[in-house]
Amino acid sequence: MNGLLSSSTQQKHSRLDVQRIREDFPILRRLVYGKPLVYLDNAATTQKPRSVIEAMSSYYEHTNANIHRGLHFLSERATEQYEAVRSKITKFLNAGDRCEIVFTRGTTESINLVASSLGRLLLKAGDEVVLTTMEHHSNIVPWQLICSATGAKIRVAPVNDDGELCLDAFERLLNPKTKIVALTHVSNALGTVNPVQQVVRMAKAVHATVVVDGAQAVSHLAVDVQQLGCDFYAFSGHKLFGPTGVGVLWGRAELLDAMPPYQGGGEMIRTVRFESSTWAKIPHKFEAGTPPIAEVIGLGAAVDYVLHVGYAAIAEHESALRDGATRTLSSIPGVRIIGNAHDKAAVISFVLEGVHPHDIGTILDREGIAIRAGHHCAQPLMERFGIAATARASFAFYNTRAEVDALAAGVQKVIEVFS
Ligand code: C6P
């Protein structure tokens, strides 16, 4: 993994050596319909570097055993590797303590855990949970479930025409009944980066607990949960160049301690009697059953890889891709970009006059270009913009300027087909 920065690093403008990075991702060499793969669906899932694939296969070849339970050699080694990743994630998020890192199946499970368990701890009839219009369904539906069980209500902070959170309107929604604020760090459908620190300051004025959906943030930005000031932060391994089936929930220790278990089973208990049971300490209280051990180990390798590339270099490269794609696509007649936030990740949602986004996706696919088309699990947001769907190109640090040009050429082809 050496030498990911080009020789110009020594000069004023450091640039990623993207061609060198691409060699670490075996899938990027494959052809699709005989054409080079142009993978621009990174918001759905990212591709995996060889180091992640090898960490997982090495675990299965040399170490596979269940963790925490066995006294034998393999079980001890597997437990060490699994727990070492917890320490790694603690540092990655700048969390206060490793007991605050809970491994889950992904962002969706992390948010369900916090909604169900924190909701049972905090919410009663008449209380309020504040969300934003740009939330993914994973940060809406779990709150609906707990609100209908407790009698609490959902309030929604609007977004403006550029796809930015309206902070004044958000602040006006806050009141002593606001117990929880849950918002995304980066919107999957617009790319908007939300001012989480400001949101937290406002929410703390009414003593609300703040839950952040970091699914789309961790691949683009360095996250420091103490600096953000939030109370919970959730993300998925597979959007961070790691495997599917694993995610993280960071939560403040005092809240996790006070919260009831989310799932019952092995590993999460201290004692079990038929009359009643007692719980293990955090984080184990929230990790019932055999966890995704190989996936956690793969996630550890992914974090190593991303930190080796470096967030400063990622931000520089992705901003250039975002600006290039924005300029090129918006110069095509009929293209309208949805989401023009001042602070925006390399995610470009667009519509093309007279063409359904699914048709754009299908024609681009035949060119070897993978994008996503649809409502992106953000139906209320689509409704806000008066559209049913968008086409979305989402970039990662291994994408190139030539791929931006391929996307633009593909969109021109769509126009030719429909004209
Ligand atoms: N968004 C997309 O194409 P899971 O599925 O649990 O890993 O992540 C859910 C999720 C939660 N929040 C946000 C902001 C997300 O973007 C996602 C997943 C994918 O945009 C699949 S819909």
Side-chain angles (χ1 to χ4, degrees):
M1 291 202 304
N2 282 328
L4 298 183
L5 295 180
S6 71
S7 50
S8 64
T9 315
Q10 321 309 333
Q11 297 155 25
K12 197 164 161 234
H13 298 291
S14 68
R15 280 281 165 96
L16 281 184
D17 186 346
V18 178
Q19 291 311 326
R20 167 72 195 78
I21 284 177
R22 290 175 71 86
E23 287 166 21
D24 292 334
F25 290 79
I27 205 169
L28 296 180
R29 283 201 298 267
R30 71 156 295 164
L31 301 178
V32 171
Y33 307 116
K35 299 186 172 146
L37 168 66
V38 175
Y39 187 77
L40 302 179
D41 196 17
N42 294 286
T45 199
T46 50
Q47 300 301 348
K48 320 306 172 199
R50 194 177 287 103
S51 58
V52 167
I53 300 165
E54 284 174 357
M56 293 176 75
S57 58
S58 167
Y59 164 76
Y60 279 126
E61 280 182 34
H62 304 292
T63 319
N64 180 49
N66 211 329
I67 58 165
H68 295 141
R69 305 152 202 248
L71 275 177
H72 59 81
F73 179 88
L74 287 183
S75 175
E76 283 178 6
R77 294 295 87 73
T79 305
E80 278 164 19
Q81 288 186 24
Y82 178 89
E83 290 299 333
V85 178
R86 202 188 303 278
S87 302
K88 196 175 295 229
I89 302 290
T90 309
K91 234 173 121 193
F92 178 67
L93 295 177
N94 192 29
D97 194 289
R98 61 193 303 286
C99 73
E100 299 183 324
I101 304 297
V102 178
F103 290 120
T104 63
R105 283 193 300 125
T107 308
T108 302
E109 188 175 57
S110 296
I111 298 174
N112 273 280
L113 188 167
V114 72
S116 161
S117 176
L118 183 74
R120 278 185 287 151
L121 179 72
L122 293 186
L123 296 176
K124 55 181 186 342
D127 285 342
E128 293 177 1
V129 174
V130 175
L131 308 177
T132 83
T133 306
M134 72 178 92
E135 297 314 311
H136 186 279
H137 299 165
S138 291
N139 201 26
I140 299 175
V141 183
W143 300 110
Q144 289 175 330
L145 295 175
I146 192 65
C147 283
S148 74
T150 57
K153 279 202 243 30
I154 288 176
R155 313 281 311 268
V156 184
V159 301
N160 65 21
D161 291 343
D162 285 330
E164 295 166 321
L165 178 62
C166 301
L167 277 174
D168 290 348
F170 167 73
E171 195 169 26
R172 281 197 296 276
L173 286 176
L174 301 173
N175 69 78
K177 287 185 284 180
T178 314
K179 292 296 181 303
I180 297 171
V181 169
L183 84 162
T184 193
H185 195 169
V186 174
S187 158
N188 68 317
L190 304 171
T192 307
V193 180
N194 278 318
V196 172
Q197 271 178 289
Q198 244 175 306
V199 165
V200 168
R201 266 199 301 278
M202 290 172 174
K204 290 298 164 190
V206 294
H207 307 291
T209 298
V210 181
V211 178
V212 180
D213 171 352
Q216 297 294 342
V218 284
S219 60
H220 303 293
L221 331 161
V223 172
D224 178 333
V225 290
Q226 298 195 60
Q227 197 175 38
L228 290 176
C230 57
D231 300 290
F232 291 90
Y233 197 93
F235 72 89
S236 302
H238 72 100
K239 296 194 200 280
L240 185 64
F241 314 95
T244 53
V246 63
V248 168
L249 176 67
W250 166 79
R252 287 188 191 280
E254 63 273 22
L255 286 167
L256 290 172
D257 260 333
M259 283 156 54
Y262 171 58
Q263 291 182 329
E267 280 298 287
M268 52 73 71
I269 52 85
R270 194 196 322 255
T271 59
V272 175
R273 303 275 178 280
F274 276 110
E275 299 70 37
S276 66
S277 299
T278 58
W279 318 132
K281 286 193 185 322
I282 59 168
H284 306 290
K285 180 171 80 175
F286 292 109
E287 291 181 6
T290 300
I293 306 165
E295 288 75 7
V296 166
I297 289 166
L299 174 60
V303 166
D304 286 341
Y305 189 89
V306 173
L307 293 178
H308 184 66
V309 176
Y311 279 104
I314 291 173
E316 185 189 64
H317 179 67
E318 290 187 357
S319 309
L321 292 176
R322 176 202 58 210
D323 294 346
T326 304
R327 259 195 317 274
T328 317
L329 287 177
S330 41
S331 70
I332 300 175
V335 168
R336 181 161 62 97
I337 291 180
I338 308 292
N340 292 293
H342 181 68
D343 197 0
K344 187 174 165 178
V347 174
I348 316 274
S349 255
F350 62 97
V351 290
L352 178 58
E353 212 180 314
V355 184
H356 193 281
H358 283 156
D359 293 325
I360 302 175
T362 306
I363 293 170
L364 291 180
D365 175 51
R366 287 281 153 179
E367 299 299 307
I369 303 168
I371 62 150
R372 186 169 171 193
H375 55 58
H376 314 295
C377 301
Q379 283 182 349
L381 183 69
M382 296 293 120
E383 210 172 299
R384 154 68 180 83
F385 282 95
I387 50 184
T390 73
R392 182 190 68 186
S394 51
F395 297 86
F397 55 71
Y398 43 60
N399 289 124
T400 64
R401 180 61 219 213
E403 290 180 315
V404 170
D405 294 340
L407 171 67
V411 173
Q412 295 284 11
K413 185 147 195 174
V414 175
I415 294 170
E416 278 163 32
V417 170
F418 277 85
S419 63

